[in-house]
Coordinates of all heavy atoms in Angstrom, one line a residue:
V252 N -7.1 27.9 19.6 CA -6.7 26.8 18.7 C -5.7 25.9 19.2 O -5.4 24.8 18.7 CB -6.3 27.4 17.3 CG1 -7.5 28.1 16.6 CG2 -5.1 28.3 17.5
R253 N -4.9 26.3 20.2 CA -3.8 25.5 20.7 C -4.4 24.2 21.4 O -5.5 24.2 21.9 CB -3.0 26.2 21.7 CG -3.7 26.7 23.0 CD -3.4 25.8 24.1 NE -3.7 26.4 25.4 CZ -4.9 26.3 26.0 NH1 -5.8 25.6 25.4 NH2 -5.1 26.9 27.2
L254 N -3.6 23.1 21.3 CA -4.0 21.9 21.9 C -3.8 22.1 23.4 O -2.8 22.7 23.8 CB -3.3 20.7 21.4 CG -3.5 20.4 19.9 CD1 -2.6 19.3 19.4 CD2 -5.0 20.0 19.7
P255 N -4.7 21.5 24.2 CA -4.4 21.7 25.7 C -3.1 20.9 26.1 O -2.8 19.9 25.6 CB -5.6 21.0 26.4 CG -6.3 20.3 25.3 CD -5.9 20.9 24.0
Y256 N -2.3 21.6 26.9 CA -1.0 21.0 27.4 C 0.0 20.7 26.3 O 0.7 19.7 26.3 CB -1.3 19.7 28.2 CG -2.5 19.8 29.1 CD1 -3.7 19.1 28.8 CD2 -2.4 20.6 30.2 CE1 -4.8 19.2 29.7 CE2 -3.5 20.6 31.1 CZ -4.7 20.0 30.8 OH -5.8 20.0 31.6
H257 N -0.1 21.6 25.2 CA 0.8 21.4 24.1 C 2.3 21.4 24.4 O 3.1 20.8 23.8 CB 0.5 22.3 23.0 CG 0.9 23.8 23.3 ND1 0.3 24.5 24.4 CD2 1.7 24.7 22.8 CE1 0.8 25.7 24.4 NE2 1.6 25.8 23.5
L258 N 2.6 22.2 25.5 CA 4.0 22.4 25.8 C 4.4 21.6 27.1 O 3.9 21.8 28.2 CB 4.3 23.9 26.1 CG 5.6 24.5 25.8 CD1 6.0 24.1 24.3 CD2 5.5 26.0 25.9
S259 N 5.2 20.5 26.9 CA 5.4 19.5 28.0 C 6.1 20.2 29.1 O 6.8 21.2 29.0 CB 6.2 18.4 27.5 OG 7.6 18.6 27.6
A260 N 5.9 19.6 30.3 CA 6.6 20.1 31.5 C 8.1 20.0 31.3 O 8.8 20.9 31.8 CB 6.2 19.2 32.7
L261 N 8.6 19.0 30.5 CA 10.0 18.9 30.3 C 10.5 20.1 29.5 O 11.6 20.6 29.7 CB 10.3 17.6 29.7 CG 9.9 16.3 30.4 CD1 10.0 15.1 29.5 CD2 10.7 16.2 31.7
T262 N 9.8 20.4 28.5 CA 10.1 21.5 27.5 C 10.2 22.8 28.3 O 11.1 23.6 28.2 CB 9.1 21.6 26.4 OG1 9.1 20.4 25.7 CG2 9.5 22.7 25.5
Q263 N 9.1 23.0 29.1 CA 9.0 24.2 29.8 C 10.2 24.4 30.8 O 10.8 25.5 30.9 CB 7.7 24.4 30.6 CG 6.5 24.4 29.7 CD 5.2 24.7 30.4 OE1 5.1 25.4 31.4 NE2 4.1 24.0 30.0
A264 N 10.5 23.3 31.5 CA 11.6 23.4 32.5 C 13.0 23.6 31.8 O 13.7 24.4 32.2 CB 11.6 22.0 33.3
A265 N 13.2 22.8 30.7 CA 14.5 23.0 30.0 C 14.6 24.4 29.4 O 15.7 25.0 29.4 CB 14.6 21.9 28.9
A266 N 13.6 24.9 28.9 CA 13.6 26.2 28.3 C 13.9 27.3 29.3 O 14.7 28.2 29.1 CB 12.3 26.6 27.5
R267 N 13.3 27.2 30.5 CA 13.5 28.2 31.6 C 14.9 28.1 32.0 O 15.6 29.1 32.3 CB 12.6 27.9 32.7 CG 11.1 28.2 32.4 CD 10.3 28.2 33.6 NE 10.5 29.4 34.4 CZ 10.3 29.5 35.7 NH1 9.8 28.5 36.4 NH2 10.6 30.6 36.4
A268 N 15.5 26.8 32.1 CA 16.9 26.7 32.5 C 17.8 27.4 31.5 O 18.7 28.0 31.8 CB 17.2 25.2 32.7
S269 N 17.5 27.1 30.2 CA 18.3 27.6 29.1 C 18.2 29.2 29.1 O 19.3 29.8 28.9 CB 17.8 27.1 27.8 OG 18.6 27.5 26.8
L270 N 17.1 29.7 29.4 CA 16.9 31.2 29.4 C 17.8 31.8 30.5 O 18.2 32.9 30.4 CB 15.5 31.6 29.6 CG 14.6 31.6 28.4 CD1 13.1 31.6 28.7 CD2 14.9 32.8 27.5
R271 N 18.0 31.1 31.6 CA 18.8 31.6 32.7 C 20.2 31.8 32.2 O 21.0 32.5 32.8 CB 18.8 30.7 33.9 CG 17.5 30.9 34.7 CD 17.7 30.4 36.2 NE 18.0 28.9 36.2 CZ 16.9 28.0 36.2 NH1 15.7 28.4 36.2 NH2 17.2 26.7 36.3
H272 N 20.6 31.1 31.2 CA 22.0 31.2 30.7 C 22.1 32.0 29.4 O 23.0 31.9 28.7 CB 22.5 29.8 30.4 CG 22.7 28.9 31.7 ND1 23.9 28.8 32.3 CD2 21.8 28.3 32.4 CE1 23.7 28.0 33.4 NE2 22.4 27.7 33.4
A273 N 21.0 32.8 29.2 CA 21.0 33.6 27.9 C 22.2 34.4 27.6 O 22.7 34.3 26.5 CB 19.8 34.5 27.9
A274 N 22.7 35.1 28.7 CA 23.9 36.0 28.4 C 25.0 35.2 27.9 O 25.7 35.6 26.9 CB 24.2 36.7 29.7
E275 N 25.3 34.0 28.5 CA 26.4 33.2 28.1 C 26.2 32.6 26.7 O 27.1 32.6 25.9 CB 26.6 32.2 29.2 CG 27.2 30.9 28.9 CD 26.8 29.8 29.9 OE1 26.4 30.1 31.1 OE2 26.8 28.6 29.5
T276 N 25.0 32.1 26.5 CA 24.7 31.5 25.2 C 24.9 32.5 24.1 O 25.5 32.2 23.0 CB 23.3 30.8 25.1 OG1 23.1 30.0 26.3 CG2 23.1 30.0 23.9
L277 N 24.3 33.7 24.3 CA 24.2 34.7 23.3 C 25.6 35.4 23.1 O 25.8 36.1 22.1 CB 23.2 35.7 23.6 CG 21.8 35.2 23.5 CD1 20.7 36.2 23.9 CD2 21.4 34.6 22.2
G278 N 26.6 35.0 24.0 CA 27.9 35.4 23.7 C 28.5 34.9 22.4 O 29.4 35.5 21.8
S279 N 27.9 33.8 21.9 CA 28.4 33.3 20.6 C 27.9 34.1 19.4 O 28.4 33.9 18.3 CB 28.0 31.8 20.4 OG 26.5 31.7 20.4
V280 N 27.0 34.9 19.6 CA 26.3 35.7 18.5 C 27.3 36.5 17.8 O 27.4 36.5 16.6 CB 25.1 36.4 18.9 CG1 24.6 37.4 17.9 CG2 23.9 35.5 19.2
A281 N 28.1 37.3 18.6 CA 29.1 38.3 18.0 C 30.1 37.5 17.2 O 30.5 37.8 16.1 CB 29.7 39.1 19.0
K282 N 30.5 36.4 17.8 CA 31.5 35.5 17.1 C 31.0 34.9 15.8 O 31.7 34.9 14.8 CB 31.8 34.3 18.1 CG 33.2 34.0 18.2 CD 33.6 32.9 19.2 CE 32.6 32.4 20.2 NZ 33.0 31.3 21.1
L283 N 29.7 34.5 15.8 CA 29.1 34.0 14.6 C 29.0 35.0 13.5 O 29.1 34.8 12.4 CB 27.8 33.3 15.0 CG 28.0 31.9 15.8 CD1 26.6 31.5 16.3 CD2 28.6 30.8 14.9
A284 N 28.6 36.2 14.0 CA 28.4 37.3 13.0 C 29.7 37.7 12.4 O 29.8 37.9 11.2 CB 27.8 38.5 13.7
A285 N 30.8 37.7 13.1 CA 32.1 37.9 12.6 C 32.6 36.8 11.6 O 33.1 37.1 10.6 CB 33.1 38.1 13.7
E286 N 32.3 35.6 12.1 CA 32.6 34.4 11.1 C 31.7 34.5 9.8 O 32.2 34.2 8.8 CB 32.2 33.1 11.8 CG 33.3 32.6 12.7 CD 34.6 32.3 11.9 OE1 34.6 31.3 11.1 OE2 35.7 33.0 12.1
R287 N 30.4 35.0 9.9 CA 29.6 35.2 8.8 C 30.3 36.1 7.8 O 30.4 35.9 6.6 CB 28.2 35.7 9.2 CG 27.4 36.2 8.0 CD 26.3 37.0 8.5 NE 26.7 38.3 9.1 CZ 26.1 39.0 10.1 NH1 25.0 38.6 10.6 NH2 26.6 40.1 10.5
D288 N 30.8 37.2 8.3 CA 31.4 38.3 7.5 C 32.7 37.7 6.8 O 33.0 38.0 5.7 CB 31.6 39.5 8.3 CG 30.3 40.2 8.8 OD1 29.3 39.8 8.2 OD2 30.3 41.0 9.7
R289 N 33.4 36.9 7.7 CA 34.7 36.3 7.1 C 34.3 35.3 6.0 O 35.0 35.4 4.9 CB 35.4 35.6 8.2 CG 36.7 34.9 7.7 CD 37.4 34.2 8.9 NE 36.9 33.0 9.3 CZ 37.3 31.8 8.9 NH1 38.2 31.7 7.9 NH2 36.8 30.7 9.4
V290 N 33.3 34.5 6.2 CA 32.9 33.5 5.1 C 32.4 34.2 3.9 O 32.8 33.9 2.8 CB 31.8 32.6 5.7 CG1 31.1 31.8 4.6 CG2 32.4 31.7 6.7
A291 N 31.6 35.3 4.1 CA 31.1 36.1 2.9 C 32.2 36.7 2.1 O 32.2 36.6 0.9 CB 30.1 37.1 3.4
E292 N 33.1 37.3 2.9 CA 34.2 38.0 2.2 C 35.1 36.9 1.4 O 35.5 37.2 0.3 CB 35.1 38.7 3.2 CG 35.7 39.9 2.6 CD 36.4 40.7 3.7 OE1 35.7 41.2 4.6 OE2 37.7 40.8 3.7
A293 N 35.4 35.8 2.0 CA 36.2 34.8 1.4 C 35.5 34.3 0.2 O 36.2 34.1 -0.9 CB 36.5 33.7 2.4
L294 N 34.2 34.0 0.3 CA 33.5 33.5 -1.0 C 33.5 34.6 -2.1 O 33.7 34.2 -3.2 CB 32.0 33.2 -0.6 CG 31.7 32.0 0.3 CD1 30.3 32.0 0.6 CD2 32.1 30.7 -0.6
G295 N 33.4 35.9 -1.7 CA 33.5 36.9 -2.7 C 34.8 36.9 -3.4 O 34.9 37.0 -4.6
G296 N 35.8 36.8 -2.5 CA 37.2 36.7 -3.0 C 37.4 35.6 -4.0 O 38.3 35.6 -4.9
M297 N 36.7 34.5 -3.9 CA 36.8 33.4 -4.8 C 36.0 33.6 -6.0 O 35.9 32.7 -6.9 CB 36.3 32.1 -4.1 CG 37.3 31.6 -3.0 SD 36.5 30.0 -2.3 CE 37.1 30.2 -0.6
G298 N 35.2 34.7 -6.1 CA 34.5 35.0 -7.3 C 33.0 34.6 -7.3 O 32.3 34.7 -8.3
F299 N 32.6 34.1 -6.1 CA 31.1 33.8 -6.0 C 30.3 35.1 -5.8 O 30.8 36.1 -5.3 CB 30.9 32.9 -4.7 CG 31.5 31.5 -4.8 CD1 32.6 31.2 -4.2 CD2 30.8 30.5 -5.5 CE1 33.2 29.9 -4.3 CE2 31.4 29.2 -5.6 CZ 32.6 28.9 -5.0
D300 N 29.0 35.0 -6.2 CA 28.1 36.1 -5.9 C 27.6 35.8 -4.5 O 27.1 34.8 -4.2 CB 26.9 36.1 -6.8 CG 27.4 36.4 -8.3 OD1 28.4 37.1 -8.4 OD2 26.7 35.9 -9.2
V301 N 27.7 36.8 -3.6 CA 27.3 36.6 -2.2 C 26.2 37.6 -1.9 O 26.4 38.8 -2.0 CB 28.5 36.8 -1.2 CG1 28.1 36.5 0.2 CG2 29.7 35.9 -1.6
V302 N 25.1 37.1 -1.3 CA 24.0 37.9 -0.9 C 24.3 38.4 0.5 O 24.6 37.6 1.4 CB 22.6 37.1 -1.0 CG1 21.5 38.0 -0.6 CG2 22.4 36.5 -2.3
P303 N 24.2 39.8 0.7 CA 24.6 40.3 2.0 C 23.6 39.7 3.1 O 22.4 39.6 2.9 CB 24.3 41.8 1.9 CG 24.0 42.1 0.5 CD 23.8 40.8 -0.3
S304 N 24.2 39.3 4.2 CA 23.5 38.6 5.2 C 23.5 39.3 6.6 O 24.6 39.7 7.0 CB 23.9 37.2 5.4 OG 23.3 36.6 6.5
D305 N 22.4 39.3 7.3 CA 22.3 39.9 8.6 C 21.9 38.7 9.6 O 21.4 39.0 10.6 CB 21.1 40.9 8.5 CG 21.2 42.0 9.5 OD1 22.4 42.2 10.1 OD2 20.2 42.7 9.8
A306 N 22.1 37.5 9.1 CA 21.7 36.3 9.9 C 23.0 35.4 10.1 O 24.1 35.8 9.9 CB 20.6 35.6 9.2
N307 N 22.7 34.1 10.4 CA 23.8 33.2 10.6 C 24.0 32.2 9.5 O 24.3 31.1 9.6 CB 23.7 32.4 11.9 CG 22.5 31.5 11.9 OD1 21.5 31.7 11.2 ND2 22.5 30.4 12.7
F308 N 23.7 32.7 8.3 CA 23.9 31.9 7.1 C 24.2 32.8 5.9 O 23.9 34.1 6.0 CB 22.6 31.1 6.8 CG 21.4 31.9 6.8 CD1 20.9 32.6 5.7 CD2 20.5 31.9 8.0 CE1 19.8 33.3 5.7 CE2 19.4 32.7 7.9 CZ 19.0 33.4 6.8
V309 N 24.6 32.3 4.8 CA 24.9 33.1 3.6 C 24.4 32.4 2.4 O 24.7 31.2 2.2 CB 26.5 33.3 3.5 CG1 26.8 34.1 2.2 CG2 27.0 34.0 4.7
L310 N 23.7 33.1 1.6 CA 23.2 32.6 0.3 C 24.2 33.0 -0.8 O 24.7 34.2 -0.9 CB 21.8 33.1 -0.1 CG 21.2 32.4 -1.3 CD1 20.7 31.0 -1.0 CD2 20.0 33.3 -1.8
F311 N 24.7 32.0 -1.6 CA 25.7 32.4 -2.6 C 25.5 31.6 -3.9 O 24.8 30.6 -3.9 CB 27.1 32.2 -2.0 CG 27.5 30.7 -1.7 CD1 28.4 30.0 -2.5 CD2 26.8 30.0 -0.7 CE1 28.7 28.7 -2.2 CE2 27.1 28.7 -0.4 CZ 28.1 28.0 -1.2
G312 N 26.1 32.1 -5.0 CA 26.0 31.4 -6.2 C 27.1 32.0 -7.2 O 28.1 32.5 -6.6
W313 N 27.0 32.1 -8.4 CA 25.9 31.5 -9.2 C 26.4 30.1 -9.7 O 27.5 30.0 -10.1 CB 25.6 32.4 -10.3 CG 24.7 31.9 -11.4 CD1 25.1 31.3 -12.5 CD2 23.3 31.8 -11.4 NE1 23.9 30.8 -13.2 CE2 22.8 31.2 -12.5 CE3 22.3 32.3 -10.4 CZ2 21.5 31.0 -12.8 CZ3 20.9 32.0 -10.8 CH2 20.6 31.4 -12.0
F314 N 25.5 29.1 -9.7 CA 25.8 27.8 -10.1 C 24.9 27.4 -11.3 O 23.8 27.6 -11.2 CB 25.7 26.8 -9.0 CG 26.5 27.1 -7.8 CD1 25.8 27.5 -6.6 CD2 27.8 27.1 -7.7 CE1 26.5 27.9 -5.5 CE2 28.6 27.4 -6.6 CZ 27.9 27.8 -5.5
E315 N 25.5 26.9 -12.3 CA 24.7 26.4 -13.5 C 23.8 25.3 -13.0 O 22.7 25.2 -13.4 CB 25.6 25.9 -14.6 CG 26.3 26.9 -15.5 CD 25.2 27.9 -16.0 OE1 24.1 27.4 -16.5 OE2 25.5 29.1 -16.0
D316 N 24.3 24.4 -12.1 CA 23.6 23.3 -11.6 C 23.8 23.2 -10.1 O 24.7 22.6 -9.6 CB 24.1 22.0 -12.3 CG 23.2 20.8 -11.9 OD1 22.5 20.9 -10.9 OD2 23.3 19.8 -12.6
A317 N 23.0 23.9 -9.4 CA 23.1 24.1 -7.9 C 23.1 22.7 -7.3 O 23.8 22.4 -6.3 CB 22.0 25.0 -7.3
R318 N 22.2 21.8 -7.8 CA 22.1 20.5 -7.2 C 23.4 19.7 -7.2 O 23.8 19.1 -6.3 CB 20.9 19.7 -7.9 CG 20.4 18.5 -7.2 CD 19.6 18.9 -6.0 NE 19.5 17.8 -5.1 CZ 19.2 17.9 -3.8 NH1 19.0 19.1 -3.3 NH2 19.1 16.9 -3.0
A319 N 24.0 19.7 -8.5 CA 25.3 19.0 -8.6 C 26.3 19.6 -7.7 O 27.2 18.9 -7.2 CB 25.7 19.1 -10.1
T320 N 26.3 20.9 -7.6 CA 27.4 21.6 -6.8 C 27.2 21.2 -5.3 O 28.1 20.8 -4.5 CB 27.3 23.1 -6.9 OG1 27.4 23.4 -8.3 CG2 28.4 23.8 -6.2
W321 N 25.8 21.1 -4.9 CA 25.5 20.7 -3.5 C 26.1 19.3 -3.3 O 26.7 19.0 -2.2 CB 24.0 20.7 -3.3 CG 23.5 20.2 -2.0 CD1 23.4 20.9 -0.9 CD2 23.1 18.8 -1.8 NE1 23.0 20.0 0.1 CE2 22.7 18.8 -0.4 CE3 22.9 17.7 -2.5 CZ2 22.3 17.7 0.3 CZ3 22.4 16.5 -1.8 CH2 22.1 16.5 -0.5
R322 N 26.0 18.5 -4.3 CA 26.5 17.1 -4.1 C 28.0 17.0 -4.1 O 28.6 16.3 -3.3 CB 26.0 16.2 -5.3 CG 25.0 15.2 -4.9 CD 24.5 14.2 -6.0 NE 23.3 14.7 -6.6 CZ 23.2 15.2 -7.8 NH1 24.2 15.3 -8.6 NH2 22.0 15.6 -8.3
S323 N 28.7 18.0 -4.8 CA 30.2 18.0 -4.7 C 30.6 18.4 -3.4 O 31.6 17.9 -2.8 CB 30.7 19.1 -5.7 OG 30.3 18.8 -7.0
Y324 N 29.9 19.4 -2.7 CA 30.2 19.7 -1.3 C 30.0 18.4 -0.4 O 30.9 18.2 0.4 CB 29.3 20.8 -0.8 CG 29.8 22.2 -1.1 CD1 29.2 22.9 -2.2 CD2 30.8 22.8 -0.4 CE1 29.6 24.2 -2.5 CE2 31.2 24.1 -0.7 CZ 30.6 24.8 -1.7 OH 31.0 26.1 -2.0

Side-chain angles (χ1 to χ4, degrees):
V252 297
R253 63 103 161 91
L254 296 174
Y256 317 109
H257 67 297
L258 212 48
S259 88
L261 302 171
T262 304
Q263 294 186 39
R267 293 192 69 203
S269 185
L270 277 165
R271 280 203 294 275
H272 295 261
E275 155 203 332
T276 310
L277 296 176
S279 64
V280 166
K282 223 173 351 178
L283 290 166
E286 276 295 294
R287 169 197 68 210
D288 295 343
R289 177 174 81 91
V290 166
E292 210 174 292
L294 285 172
M297 289 179 212
F299 292 101
D300 296 331
V301 181
V302 182
S304 172
D305 209 15
N307 67 332
F308 51 82
V309 176
L310 189 72
F311 66 110
W313 169 266
F314 306 109
E315 278 310 316
D316 186 345
R318 195 72 199 159
T320 308
W321 176 83
R322 248 182 267 111
S323 304
Y324 274 103

